[in-house]
Amino acid sequence: MQRPGLSLVPMQLDSSIAIKISMGGSMFQERMLMSRSDVWHKIKILKGTQYDKESVLKAILNAIDPADLVPVKYQAVGEDTFFLARNCAFALEKLCKTNLIIKYPGGDALILIVTLGYASIHDLKINLQPLLLAALTRRYDPNTKSLNLEEFHKDPEMDKTLFCPLNQQRLFSHVLKLTKSAIDTVQNLNLQKNGILNLSAIEASNLTSIRYLDLRYNTLLSTEMLAPLRKLNILKLWLDGNPLCENYSNPKQYIDSVKKYCPNLILLDGVYVKTHGLSGSYIKYVKDDAKQDLITKFISHFFDLYDQKDRSVLRGLYHKDACYSMTFNLPGADAQKKNLAPYAASRNILRSTDLNKKRQHIYFGTDSILDGMKKLPRSYHDRNSFIWDLMYDDGICLVFSLSGMFKTINKFHHVLAFNRTFVLLGLDDNEYNILNDQYHVEATEEEIPPNQIEEKCSLHEMVPTYFSATEKKELMSKFVEITSLNNEWSQTYLGESHYDIRRAITNFMKDYKDSAVPADAFLR
């Protein structure tokens, strides 16, 4: 290898020279320049301005994998683009084997021209260390001891100079070692969406303080890739979106396989792995993004309302002919001891032979359903524990099953598991109503302290808001029935209260007592 300070004569590689190098030609001068650590090489992409920067760089890096190449100073000159790189002899050899023609998504090809020894590191000084350190500092929260490296290569400040994809092992290792030396304790490490194939950099970094590790949407192919985590005390791990999640036929296999490498694991993909009946959130069985969005929004909206003190706010979600029932797996005596008696009053077809008793716990129609739900204690559902499966969709009806955990919000705080199967019916005004709601509650396999379920959603009372024409029509009908007011006056009270029927009735009663409602306001 040549010493810094020796004369530098740049040399250009095109496809013809690259072919000679790849075929084993001596090409002494070119190979000598490629191996020097004190020079920058220039890699030009002909007509590179036609393409997206990130896509171009990823295509080049994929073509030379597993060699490392750190693109620096990506910029345009005319219709071409170029970047600089150094310490990349192996990567340059790999580029030569492509004949400097790189496949690009969509079928096009990128034509490269490489200038070896473009500049000396003494003439062109680019210090990457401060850029990396600044990016790490921006992404570290000392209050939660969290380092967020999600899509690290897209960091807007760093990206102006340096393209730093963590799927390159050398870069990944360097970033984590810099973290170890320059950043305070890291307990939460987010590595989402970095295309990571290998975790050996985590082991080499000696970041032993990591407890929560988010590896979602990377390219880990098997749980064997988790072996570097063995020496860490990982308590919470997220792996959704990795190919390894497709390797298991049931949740137990998946969990057991992961726990070989993370034996102290408490949560996997947001689910308490020791809790009976809640495993398997590593996959959601839906391929339609629109349906996934619909169900996600429905679940969020439903439980925001269901967890209110007064479940009357659920009015409008249930179809007028809806059916609701609940089952509970603890015997009545055990439920009494645990202060869970309200749940024991359920339609349990396995333990009761009295058909009439069963039927009284099956509720039909909105009013009956809400009355049944009001008998249960107030609750808070742990959104992190939710897993669901879309079982049926014919464009009119959706049937999906939802499992998770919740805690009761009363003087007896209990953590319970649940499964809920919803049948949703599509309406003409692009709304959905619940046609059937089958609710099952059971004890968790291991007792979970209520304080482990963090209340991330507000438990303050909500003012219900109704949007659809169908819901407004139903509220109008109910208000007219209760007050005997005509449609015009009913519309006024409901409109002023933003269709909060309780407030509308309160306002009406106040005006009625004050004799402020004229006789012609009532139906004749």
Side-chain angles (χ1 to χ4, degrees), residues 12-15 42-51 56 60 74-75 77-83 100-102 104 108-114:
Q12 186 167 290
L13 295 183
D14 56 19
S15 293
K42 177 182 175 182
I43 300 173
K44 181 163 70 173
I45 303 97
L46 297 181
K47 298 184 178 180
T49 54
Q50 297 179 9
Y51 309 105
V56 165
I60 294 172
Y74 189 95
Q75 54 195 287
V77 177
E79 61 180 358
D80 301 329
T81 57
F82 74 89
F83 62 88
L100 303 185
I101 301 173
I102 306 296
Y104 184 79
D108 293 334
L110 303 175
I111 309 299
L112 308 183
I113 296 177
V114 178

PDB file of all heavy atoms in Angstrom, residues 12-15 42-51 56 60 74-75 77-83 100-102 104 108-114:
ATOM      1  N   GLN A  12      -9.207   6.545 -14.675  1.00  0.00           N
ATOM      2  CA  GLN A  12     -10.634   6.331 -14.909  1.00  0.00           C
ATOM      3  C   GLN A  12     -10.921   4.885 -15.277  1.00  0.00           C
ATOM      4  O   GLN A  12     -10.224   4.280 -16.090  1.00  0.00           O
ATOM      5  CB  GLN A  12     -11.129   7.261 -16.019  1.00  0.00           C
ATOM      6  CG  GLN A  12     -12.636   7.204 -16.235  1.00  0.00           C
ATOM      7  CD  GLN A  12     -13.115   8.347 -17.115  1.00  0.00           C
ATOM      8  OE1 GLN A  12     -13.117   9.497 -16.713  1.00  0.00           O
ATOM      9  NE2 GLN A  12     -13.505   8.003 -18.336  1.00  0.00           N
ATOM     10  N   LEU A  13     -11.976   4.352 -14.612  1.00  0.00           N
ATOM     11  CA  LEU A  13     -12.464   3.015 -14.949  1.00  0.00           C
ATOM     12  C   LEU A  13     -13.763   3.147 -15.714  1.00  0.00           C
ATOM     13  O   LEU A  13     -14.700   3.800 -15.236  1.00  0.00           O
ATOM     14  CB  LEU A  13     -12.730   2.192 -13.684  1.00  0.00           C
ATOM     15  CG  LEU A  13     -11.575   1.802 -12.760  1.00  0.00           C
ATOM     16  CD1 LEU A  13     -12.114   0.919 -11.631  1.00  0.00           C
ATOM     17  CD2 LEU A  13     -10.511   1.057 -13.530  1.00  0.00           C
ATOM     18  N   ASP A  14     -13.817   2.517 -16.879  1.00  0.00           N
ATOM     19  CA  ASP A  14     -15.096   2.381 -17.565  1.00  0.00           C
ATOM     20  C   ASP A  14     -15.389   0.892 -17.686  1.00  0.00           C
ATOM     21  O   ASP A  14     -14.667   0.053 -17.135  1.00  0.00           O
ATOM     22  CB  ASP A  14     -15.078   3.080 -18.922  1.00  0.00           C
ATOM     23  CG  ASP A  14     -13.950   2.576 -19.825  1.00  0.00           C
ATOM     24  OD1 ASP A  14     -13.424   1.467 -19.563  1.00  0.00           O
ATOM     25  OD2 ASP A  14     -13.605   3.284 -20.789  1.00  0.00           O
ATOM     26  N   SER A  15     -16.425   0.534 -18.396  1.00  0.00           N
ATOM     27  CA  SER A  15     -16.837  -0.875 -18.475  1.00  0.00           C
ATOM     28  C   SER A  15     -15.745  -1.769 -19.040  1.00  0.00           C
ATOM     29  O   SER A  15     -15.532  -2.895 -18.575  1.00  0.00           O
ATOM     30  CB  SER A  15     -18.112  -1.012 -19.320  1.00  0.00           C
ATOM     31  OG  SER A  15     -19.195  -0.417 -18.670  1.00  0.00           O
ATOM     32  N   LYS A  42     -14.110   8.652  -7.018  1.00  0.00           N
ATOM     33  CA  LYS A  42     -15.338   9.288  -7.497  1.00  0.00           C
ATOM     34  C   LYS A  42     -16.118   8.286  -8.339  1.00  0.00           C
ATOM     35  O   LYS A  42     -15.575   7.698  -9.280  1.00  0.00           O
ATOM     36  CB  LYS A  42     -14.990  10.525  -8.318  1.00  0.00           C
ATOM     37  CG  LYS A  42     -16.188  11.234  -8.942  1.00  0.00           C
ATOM     38  CD  LYS A  42     -15.709  12.430  -9.768  1.00  0.00           C
ATOM     39  CE  LYS A  42     -16.847  13.101 -10.509  1.00  0.00           C
ATOM     40  NZ  LYS A  42     -16.363  14.233 -11.345  1.00  0.00           N
ATOM     41  N   ILE A  43     -17.401   8.106  -8.007  1.00  0.00           N
ATOM     42  CA  ILE A  43     -18.268   7.180  -8.747  1.00  0.00           C
ATOM     43  C   ILE A  43     -19.385   7.996  -9.387  1.00  0.00           C
ATOM     44  O   ILE A  43     -20.223   8.569  -8.683  1.00  0.00           O
ATOM     45  CB  ILE A  43     -18.828   6.088  -7.824  1.00  0.00           C
ATOM     46  CG1 ILE A  43     -17.661   5.305  -7.217  1.00  0.00           C
ATOM     47  CG2 ILE A  43     -19.780   5.170  -8.588  1.00  0.00           C
ATOM     48  CD1 ILE A  43     -18.079   4.305  -6.159  1.00  0.00           C
ATOM     49  N   LYS A  44     -19.351   8.071 -10.712  1.00  0.00           N
ATOM     50  CA  LYS A  44     -20.331   8.881 -11.449  1.00  0.00           C
ATOM     51  C   LYS A  44     -21.422   7.993 -12.012  1.00  0.00           C
ATOM     52  O   LYS A  44     -21.163   6.897 -12.515  1.00  0.00           O
ATOM     53  CB  LYS A  44     -19.636   9.641 -12.573  1.00  0.00           C
ATOM     54  CG  LYS A  44     -20.584  10.522 -13.385  1.00  0.00           C
ATOM     55  CD  LYS A  44     -19.845  11.559 -14.214  1.00  0.00           C
ATOM     56  CE  LYS A  44     -19.072  10.928 -15.361  1.00  0.00           C
ATOM     57  NZ  LYS A  44     -18.487  11.959 -16.256  1.00  0.00           N
ATOM     58  N   ILE A  45     -22.685   8.467 -11.932  1.00  0.00           N
ATOM     59  CA  ILE A  45     -23.836   7.770 -12.507  1.00  0.00           C
ATOM     60  C   ILE A  45     -24.298   8.587 -13.712  1.00  0.00           C
ATOM     61  O   ILE A  45     -24.772   9.729 -13.560  1.00  0.00           O
ATOM     62  CB  ILE A  45     -24.989   7.640 -11.479  1.00  0.00           C
ATOM     63  CG1 ILE A  45     -24.502   6.903 -10.218  1.00  0.00           C
ATOM     64  CG2 ILE A  45     -26.172   6.909 -12.084  1.00  0.00           C
ATOM     65  CD1 ILE A  45     -24.096   7.831  -9.101  1.00  0.00           C
ATOM     66  N   LEU A  46     -24.138   8.040 -14.887  1.00  0.00           N
ATOM     67  CA  LEU A  46     -24.541   8.759 -16.092  1.00  0.00           C
ATOM     68  C   LEU A  46     -26.046   8.993 -16.093  1.00  0.00           C
ATOM     69  O   LEU A  46     -26.835   8.071 -15.842  1.00  0.00           O
ATOM     70  CB  LEU A  46     -24.127   7.978 -17.343  1.00  0.00           C
ATOM     71  CG  LEU A  46     -22.616   7.776 -17.549  1.00  0.00           C
ATOM     72  CD1 LEU A  46     -22.371   7.007 -18.845  1.00  0.00           C
ATOM     73  CD2 LEU A  46     -21.881   9.117 -17.568  1.00  0.00           C
ATOM     74  N   LYS A  47     -26.452  10.216 -16.326  1.00  0.00           N
ATOM     75  CA  LYS A  47     -27.859  10.643 -16.328  1.00  0.00           C
ATOM     76  C   LYS A  47     -28.540  10.296 -14.999  1.00  0.00           C
ATOM     77  O   LYS A  47     -29.723   9.975 -14.939  1.00  0.00           O
ATOM     78  CB  LYS A  47     -28.621  10.020 -17.503  1.00  0.00           C
ATOM     79  CG  LYS A  47     -28.069  10.435 -18.865  1.00  0.00           C
ATOM     80  CD  LYS A  47     -28.900   9.894 -20.003  1.00  0.00           C
ATOM     81  CE  LYS A  47     -28.333  10.369 -21.342  1.00  0.00           C
ATOM     82  NZ  LYS A  47     -29.117   9.859 -22.493  1.00  0.00           N
ATOM     83  N   GLY A  48     -27.765  10.434 -13.924  1.00  0.00           N
ATOM     84  CA  GLY A  48     -28.276  10.064 -12.599  1.00  0.00           C
ATOM     85  C   GLY A  48     -29.370  10.966 -12.072  1.00  0.00           C
ATOM     86  O   GLY A  48     -30.115  10.582 -11.168  1.00  0.00           O
ATOM     87  N   THR A  49     -29.488  12.169 -12.630  1.00  0.00           N
ATOM     88  CA  THR A  49     -30.546  13.073 -12.165  1.00  0.00           C
ATOM     89  C   THR A  49     -31.943  12.568 -12.511  1.00  0.00           C
ATOM     90  O   THR A  49     -32.937  13.082 -12.006  1.00  0.00           O
ATOM     91  CB  THR A  49     -30.350  14.482 -12.761  1.00  0.00           C
ATOM     92  OG1 THR A  49     -30.255  14.380 -14.184  1.00  0.00           O
ATOM     93  CG2 THR A  49     -29.099  15.136 -12.204  1.00  0.00           C
ATOM     94  N   GLN A  50     -32.020  11.566 -13.395  1.00  0.00           N
ATOM     95  CA  GLN A  50     -33.324  11.000 -13.754  1.00  0.00           C
ATOM     96  C   GLN A  50     -33.875  10.095 -12.649  1.00  0.00           C
ATOM     97  O   GLN A  50     -35.041   9.715 -12.673  1.00  0.00           O
ATOM     98  CB  GLN A  50     -33.206  10.175 -15.046  1.00  0.00           C
ATOM     99  CG  GLN A  50     -32.789  10.967 -16.268  1.00  0.00           C
ATOM    100  CD  GLN A  50     -32.667  10.079 -17.492  1.00  0.00           C
ATOM    101  OE1 GLN A  50     -33.053   8.906 -17.474  1.00  0.00           O
ATOM    102  NE2 GLN A  50     -32.126  10.627 -18.569  1.00  0.00           N
ATOM    103  N   TYR A  51     -33.014   9.761 -11.700  1.00  0.00           N
ATOM    104  CA  TYR A  51     -33.390   8.747 -10.713  1.00  0.00           C
ATOM    105  C   TYR A  51     -33.350   9.321  -9.298  1.00  0.00           C
ATOM    106  O   TYR A  51     -32.661  10.293  -9.002  1.00  0.00           O
ATOM    107  CB  TYR A  51     -32.444   7.548 -10.803  1.00  0.00           C
ATOM    108  CG  TYR A  51     -32.283   7.001 -12.196  1.00  0.00           C
ATOM    109  CD1 TYR A  51     -31.119   7.235 -12.932  1.00  0.00           C
ATOM    110  CD2 TYR A  51     -33.297   6.267 -12.793  1.00  0.00           C
ATOM    111  CE1 TYR A  51     -30.965   6.739 -14.210  1.00  0.00           C
ATOM    112  CE2 TYR A  51     -33.162   5.756 -14.082  1.00  0.00           C
ATOM    113  CZ  TYR A  51     -31.993   6.002 -14.797  1.00  0.00           C
ATOM    114  OH  TYR A  51     -31.861   5.509 -16.062  1.00  0.00           O
ATOM    115  N   VAL A  56     -30.946   4.920  -6.213  1.00  0.00           N
ATOM    116  CA  VAL A  56     -29.678   4.725  -6.914  1.00  0.00           C
ATOM    117  C   VAL A  56     -28.635   4.115  -5.980  1.00  0.00           C
ATOM    118  O   VAL A  56     -27.980   3.116  -6.295  1.00  0.00           O
ATOM    119  CB  VAL A  56     -29.155   6.064  -7.484  1.00  0.00           C
ATOM    120  CG1 VAL A  56     -27.691   5.947  -7.894  1.00  0.00           C
ATOM    121  CG2 VAL A  56     -30.000   6.497  -8.672  1.00  0.00           C
ATOM    122  N   ILE A  60     -26.810   0.305  -6.037  1.00  0.00           N
ATOM    123  CA  ILE A  60     -25.355   0.093  -6.100  1.00  0.00           C
ATOM    124  C   ILE A  60     -24.886  -0.746  -4.917  1.00  0.00           C
ATOM    125  O   ILE A  60     -24.113  -1.700  -5.075  1.00  0.00           O
ATOM    126  CB  ILE A  60     -24.621   1.449  -6.142  1.00  0.00           C
ATOM    127  CG1 ILE A  60     -24.938   2.176  -7.454  1.00  0.00           C
ATOM    128  CG2 ILE A  60     -23.115   1.259  -5.978  1.00  0.00           C
ATOM    129  CD1 ILE A  60     -24.421   3.600  -7.511  1.00  0.00           C
ATOM    130  N   TYR A  74     -23.043  13.106  -2.239  1.00  0.00           N
ATOM    131  CA  TYR A  74     -23.808  12.831  -3.458  1.00  0.00           C
ATOM    132  C   TYR A  74     -24.299  14.153  -4.033  1.00  0.00           C
ATOM    133  O   TYR A  74     -24.933  14.956  -3.329  1.00  0.00           O
ATOM    134  CB  TYR A  74     -24.978  11.920  -3.127  1.00  0.00           C
ATOM    135  CG  TYR A  74     -25.723  11.372  -4.329  1.00  0.00           C
ATOM    136  CD1 TYR A  74     -25.415  10.126  -4.842  1.00  0.00           C
ATOM    137  CD2 TYR A  74     -26.743  12.106  -4.934  1.00  0.00           C
ATOM    138  CE1 TYR A  74     -26.092   9.609  -5.937  1.00  0.00           C
ATOM    139  CE2 TYR A  74     -27.426  11.594  -6.036  1.00  0.00           C
ATOM    140  CZ  TYR A  74     -27.096  10.348  -6.525  1.00  0.00           C
ATOM    141  OH  TYR A  74     -27.773   9.834  -7.603  1.00  0.00           O
ATOM    142  N   GLN A  75     -24.016  14.403  -5.315  1.00  0.00           N
ATOM    143  CA  GLN A  75     -24.423  15.673  -5.917  1.00  0.00           C
ATOM    144  C   GLN A  75     -24.565  15.526  -7.434  1.00  0.00           C
ATOM    145  O   GLN A  75     -24.138  14.521  -8.023  1.00  0.00           O
ATOM    146  CB  GLN A  75     -23.419  16.776  -5.601  1.00  0.00           C
ATOM    147  CG  GLN A  75     -21.984  16.444  -5.973  1.00  0.00           C
ATOM    148  CD  GLN A  75     -21.006  17.397  -5.325  1.00  0.00           C
ATOM    149  OE1 GLN A  75     -20.909  18.565  -5.740  1.00  0.00           O
ATOM    150  NE2 GLN A  75     -20.272  16.917  -4.318  1.00  0.00           N
ATOM    151  N   VAL A  77     -24.064  17.073 -11.367  1.00  0.00           N
ATOM    152  CA  VAL A  77     -23.326  17.944 -12.282  1.00  0.00           C
ATOM    153  C   VAL A  77     -23.954  17.767 -13.651  1.00  0.00           C
ATOM    154  O   VAL A  77     -23.816  16.718 -14.283  1.00  0.00           O
ATOM    155  CB  VAL A  77     -21.830  17.588 -12.328  1.00  0.00           C
ATOM    156  CG1 VAL A  77     -21.119  18.470 -13.354  1.00  0.00           C
ATOM    157  CG2 VAL A  77     -21.187  17.777 -10.958  1.00  0.00           C
ATOM    158  N   GLY A  78     -24.686  18.776 -14.087  1.00  0.00           N
ATOM    159  CA  GLY A  78     -25.440  18.622 -15.322  1.00  0.00           C
ATOM    160  C   GLY A  78     -26.511  17.565 -15.129  1.00  0.00           C
ATOM    161  O   GLY A  78     -27.249  17.582 -14.140  1.00  0.00           O
ATOM    162  N   GLU A  79     -26.595  16.615 -16.061  1.00  0.00           N
ATOM    163  CA  GLU A  79     -27.597  15.563 -15.924  1.00  0.00           C
ATOM    164  C   GLU A  79     -27.038  14.312 -15.241  1.00  0.00           C
ATOM    165  O   GLU A  79     -27.756  13.340 -15.022  1.00  0.00           O
ATOM    166  CB  GLU A  79     -28.165  15.182 -17.298  1.00  0.00           C
ATOM    167  CG  GLU A  79     -27.144  14.653 -18.282  1.00  0.00           C
ATOM    168  CD  GLU A  79     -27.780  14.292 -19.613  1.00  0.00           C
ATOM    169  OE1 GLU A  79     -29.015  14.434 -19.735  1.00  0.00           O
ATOM    170  OE2 GLU A  79     -27.048  13.853 -20.525  1.00  0.00           O
ATOM    171  N   ASP A  80     -25.738  14.346 -14.889  1.00  0.00           N
ATOM    172  CA  ASP A  80     -25.117  13.218 -14.191  1.00  0.00           C
ATOM    173  C   ASP A  80     -25.079  13.488 -12.682  1.00  0.00           C
ATOM    174  O   ASP A  80     -25.223  14.637 -12.233  1.00  0.00           O
ATOM    175  CB  ASP A  80     -23.685  12.991 -14.692  1.00  0.00           C
ATOM    176  CG  ASP A  80     -23.624  12.718 -16.191  1.00  0.00           C
ATOM    177  OD1 ASP A  80     -24.603  12.127 -16.701  1.00  0.00           O
ATOM    178  OD2 ASP A  80     -22.628  13.111 -16.825  1.00  0.00           O
ATOM    179  N   THR A  81     -24.869  12.437 -11.919  1.00  0.00           N
ATOM    180  CA  THR A  81     -24.658  12.574 -10.481  1.00  0.00           C
ATOM    181  C   THR A  81     -23.396  11.799 -10.106  1.00  0.00           C
ATOM    182  O   THR A  81     -22.938  10.927 -10.863  1.00  0.00           O
ATOM    183  CB  THR A  81     -25.850  12.033  -9.669  1.00  0.00           C
ATOM    184  OG1 THR A  81     -26.088  10.667 -10.019  1.00  0.00           O
ATOM    185  CG2 THR A  81     -27.117  12.836  -9.921  1.00  0.00           C
ATOM    186  N   PHE A  82     -22.841  12.121  -8.940  1.00  0.00           N
ATOM    187  CA  PHE A  82     -21.684  11.364  -8.481  1.00  0.00           C
ATOM    188  C   PHE A  82     -21.597  11.418  -6.958  1.00  0.00           C
ATOM    189  O   PHE A  82     -22.231  12.252  -6.307  1.00  0.00           O
ATOM    190  CB  PHE A  82     -20.386  11.883  -9.118  1.00  0.00           C
ATOM    191  CG  PHE A  82     -19.907  13.197  -8.555  1.00  0.00           C
ATOM    192  CD1 PHE A  82     -19.054  13.233  -7.455  1.00  0.00           C
ATOM    193  CD2 PHE A  82     -20.282  14.391  -9.139  1.00  0.00           C
ATOM    194  CE1 PHE A  82     -18.603  14.439  -6.930  1.00  0.00           C
ATOM    195  CE2 PHE A  82     -19.835  15.614  -8.619  1.00  0.00           C
ATOM    196  CZ  PHE A  82     -18.994  15.632  -7.515  1.00  0.00           C
ATOM    197  N   PHE A  83     -20.815  10.500  -6.406  1.00  0.00           N
ATOM    198  CA  PHE A  83     -20.503  10.554  -4.981  1.00  0.00           C
ATOM    199  C   PHE A  83     -19.061  10.103  -4.794  1.00  0.00           C
ATOM    200  O   PHE A  83     -18.427   9.568  -5.723  1.00  0.00           O
ATOM    201  CB  PHE A  83     -21.461   9.688  -4.163  1.00  0.00           C
ATOM    202  CG  PHE A  83     -21.423   8.225  -4.491  1.00  0.00           C
ATOM    203  CD1 PHE A  83     -20.520   7.368  -3.854  1.00  0.00           C
ATOM    204  CD2 PHE A  83     -22.293   7.676  -5.434  1.00  0.00           C
ATOM    205  CE1 PHE A  83     -20.486   6.010  -4.151  1.00  0.00           C
ATOM    206  CE2 PHE A  83     -22.265   6.320  -5.737  1.00  0.00           C
ATOM    207  CZ  PHE A  83     -21.353   5.486  -5.095  1.00  0.00           C
ATOM    208  N   LEU A 100     -19.673  -2.353 -14.248  1.00  0.00           N
ATOM    209  CA  LEU A 100     -20.131  -0.988 -13.969  1.00  0.00           C
ATOM    210  C   LEU A 100     -21.516  -0.709 -14.560  1.00  0.00           C
ATOM    211  O   LEU A 100     -21.852   0.432 -14.887  1.00  0.00           O
ATOM    212  CB  LEU A 100     -19.122   0.049 -14.479  1.00  0.00           C
ATOM    213  CG  LEU A 100     -17.693  -0.068 -13.928  1.00  0.00           C
ATOM    214  CD1 LEU A 100     -16.848   1.096 -14.423  1.00  0.00           C
ATOM    215  CD2 LEU A 100     -17.685  -0.151 -12.414  1.00  0.00           C
ATOM    216  N   ILE A 101     -22.294  -1.787 -14.675  1.00  0.00           N
ATOM    217  CA  ILE A 101     -23.691  -1.664 -15.130  1.00  0.00           C
ATOM    218  C   ILE A 101     -24.565  -2.263 -14.027  1.00  0.00           C
ATOM    219  O   ILE A 101     -24.478  -3.455 -13.728  1.00  0.00           O
ATOM    220  CB  ILE A 101     -23.927  -2.388 -16.463  1.00  0.00           C
ATOM    221  CG1 ILE A 101     -23.018  -1.809 -17.549  1.00  0.00           C
ATOM    222  CG2 ILE A 101     -25.398  -2.281 -16.879  1.00  0.00           C
ATOM    223  CD1 ILE A 101     -23.065  -2.570 -18.858  1.00  0.00           C
ATOM    224  N   ILE A 102     -25.384  -1.417 -13.411  1.00  0.00           N
ATOM    225  CA  ILE A 102     -26.147  -1.803 -12.220  1.00  0.00           C
ATOM    226  C   ILE A 102     -27.632  -1.875 -12.550  1.00  0.00           C
ATOM    227  O   ILE A 102     -28.193  -0.954 -13.155  1.00  0.00           O
ATOM    228  CB  ILE A 102     -25.931  -0.781 -11.078  1.00  0.00           C
ATOM    229  CG1 ILE A 102     -24.435  -0.583 -10.797  1.00  0.00           C
ATOM    230  CG2 ILE A 102     -26.667  -1.223  -9.820  1.00  0.00           C
ATOM    231  CD1 ILE A 102     -23.718  -1.792 -10.300  1.00  0.00           C
ATOM    232  N   TYR A 104     -31.425  -1.461 -12.013  1.00  0.00           N
ATOM    233  CA  TYR A 104     -32.193  -0.459 -11.270  1.00  0.00           C
ATOM    234  C   TYR A 104     -33.661  -0.881 -11.261  1.00  0.00           C
ATOM    235  O   TYR A 104     -34.172  -1.407 -12.255  1.00  0.00           O
ATOM    236  CB  TYR A 104     -32.040   0.917 -11.933  1.00  0.00           C
ATOM    237  CG  TYR A 104     -32.716   2.043 -11.194  1.00  0.00           C
ATOM    238  CD1 TYR A 104     -32.125   2.606 -10.071  1.00  0.00           C
ATOM    239  CD2 TYR A 104     -33.956   2.528 -11.607  1.00  0.00           C
ATOM    240  CE1 TYR A 104     -32.732   3.641  -9.378  1.00  0.00           C
ATOM    241  CE2 TYR A 104     -34.576   3.570 -10.922  1.00  0.00           C
ATOM    242  CZ  TYR A 104     -33.959   4.125  -9.803  1.00  0.00           C
ATOM    243  OH  TYR A 104     -34.567   5.136  -9.124  1.00  0.00           O
ATOM    244  N   ASP A 108     -34.542  -0.416 -15.727  1.00  0.00           N
ATOM    245  CA  ASP A 108     -33.470   0.395 -16.294  1.00  0.00           C
ATOM    246  C   ASP A 108     -32.114  -0.100 -15.787  1.00  0.00           C
ATOM    247  O   ASP A 108     -32.029  -0.941 -14.900  1.00  0.00           O
ATOM    248  CB  ASP A 108     -33.649   1.866 -15.898  1.00  0.00           C
ATOM    249  CG  ASP A 108     -34.895   2.474 -16.527  1.00  0.00           C
ATOM    250  OD1 ASP A 108     -35.302   1.982 -17.584  1.00  0.00           O
ATOM    251  OD2 ASP A 108     -35.452   3.427 -15.952  1.00  0.00           O
ATOM    252  N   ALA A 109     -31.058   0.449 -16.356  1.00  0.00           N
ATOM    253  CA  ALA A 109     -29.704   0.123 -15.915  1.00  0.00           C
ATOM    254  C   ALA A 109     -28.960   1.415 -15.618  1.00  0.00           C
ATOM    255  O   ALA A 109     -29.096   2.416 -16.338  1.00  0.00           O
ATOM    256  CB  ALA A 109     -28.969  -0.684 -16.976  1.00  0.00           C
ATOM    257  N   LEU A 110     -28.178   1.405 -14.546  1.00  0.00           N
ATOM    258  CA  LEU A 110     -27.339   2.545 -14.201  1.00  0.00           C
ATOM    259  C   LEU A 110     -25.934   2.302 -14.776  1.00  0.00           C
ATOM    260  O   LEU A 110     -25.334   1.252 -14.524  1.00  0.00           O
ATOM    261  CB  LEU A 110     -27.260   2.699 -12.680  1.00  0.00           C
ATOM    262  CG  LEU A 110     -28.594   2.857 -11.927  1.00  0.00           C
ATOM    263  CD1 LEU A 110     -28.345   2.885 -10.429  1.00  0.00           C
ATOM    264  CD2 LEU A 110     -29.327   4.114 -12.376  1.00  0.00           C
ATOM    265  N   ILE A 111     -25.441   3.256 -15.519  1.00  0.00           N
ATOM    266  CA  ILE A 111     -24.100   3.158 -16.102  1.00  0.00           C
ATOM    267  C   ILE A 111     -23.154   3.994 -15.233  1.00  0.00           C
ATOM    268  O   ILE A 111     -23.383   5.188 -15.031  1.00  0.00           O
ATOM    269  CB  ILE A 111     -24.065   3.673 -17.552  1.00  0.00           C
ATOM    270  CG1 ILE A 111     -25.177   3.013 -18.392  1.00  0.00           C
ATOM    271  CG2 ILE A 111     -22.689   3.439 -18.159  1.00  0.00           C
ATOM    272  CD1 ILE A 111     -25.055   1.514 -18.484  1.00  0.00           C
ATOM    273  N   LEU A 112     -22.093   3.344 -14.733  1.00  0.00           N
ATOM    274  CA  LEU A 112     -21.172   4.011 -13.832  1.00  0.00           C
ATOM    275  C   LEU A 112     -19.829   4.264 -14.523  1.00  0.00           C
ATOM    276  O   LEU A 112     -19.407   3.486 -15.392  1.00  0.00           O
ATOM    277  CB  LEU A 112     -20.922   3.162 -12.580  1.00  0.00           C
ATOM    278  CG  LEU A 112     -22.139   2.660 -11.793  1.00  0.00           C
ATOM    279  CD1 LEU A 112     -21.680   1.902 -10.552  1.00  0.00           C
ATOM    280  CD2 LEU A 112     -23.061   3.803 -11.414  1.00  0.00           C
ATOM    281  N   ILE A 113     -19.175   5.314 -14.108  1.00  0.00           N
ATOM    282  CA  ILE A 113     -17.771   5.575 -14.463  1.00  0.00           C
ATOM    283  C   ILE A 113     -17.058   5.897 -13.156  1.00  0.00           C
ATOM    284  O   ILE A 113     -17.490   6.782 -12.401  1.00  0.00           O
ATOM    285  CB  ILE A 113     -17.629   6.727 -15.460  1.00  0.00           C
ATOM    286  CG1 ILE A 113     -18.289   6.372 -16.798  1.00  0.00           C
ATOM    287  CG2 ILE A 113     -16.159   7.083 -15.675  1.00  0.00           C
ATOM    288  CD1 ILE A 113     -18.255   7.489 -17.827  1.00  0.00           C
ATOM    289  N   VAL A 114     -15.961   5.197 -12.874  1.00  0.00           N
ATOM    290  CA  VAL A 114     -15.246   5.364 -11.606  1.00  0.00           C
ATOM    291  C   VAL A 114     -13.916   6.049 -11.869  1.00  0.00           C
ATOM    292  O   VAL A 114     -13.148   5.640 -12.762  1.00  0.00           O
ATOM    293  CB  VAL A 114     -15.009   4.000 -10.923  1.00  0.00           C
ATOM    294  CG1 VAL A 114     -14.219   4.181  -9.623  1.00  0.00           C
ATOM    295  CG2 VAL A 114     -16.340   3.298 -10.654  1.00  0.00           C
TER     296      VAL A 114
END
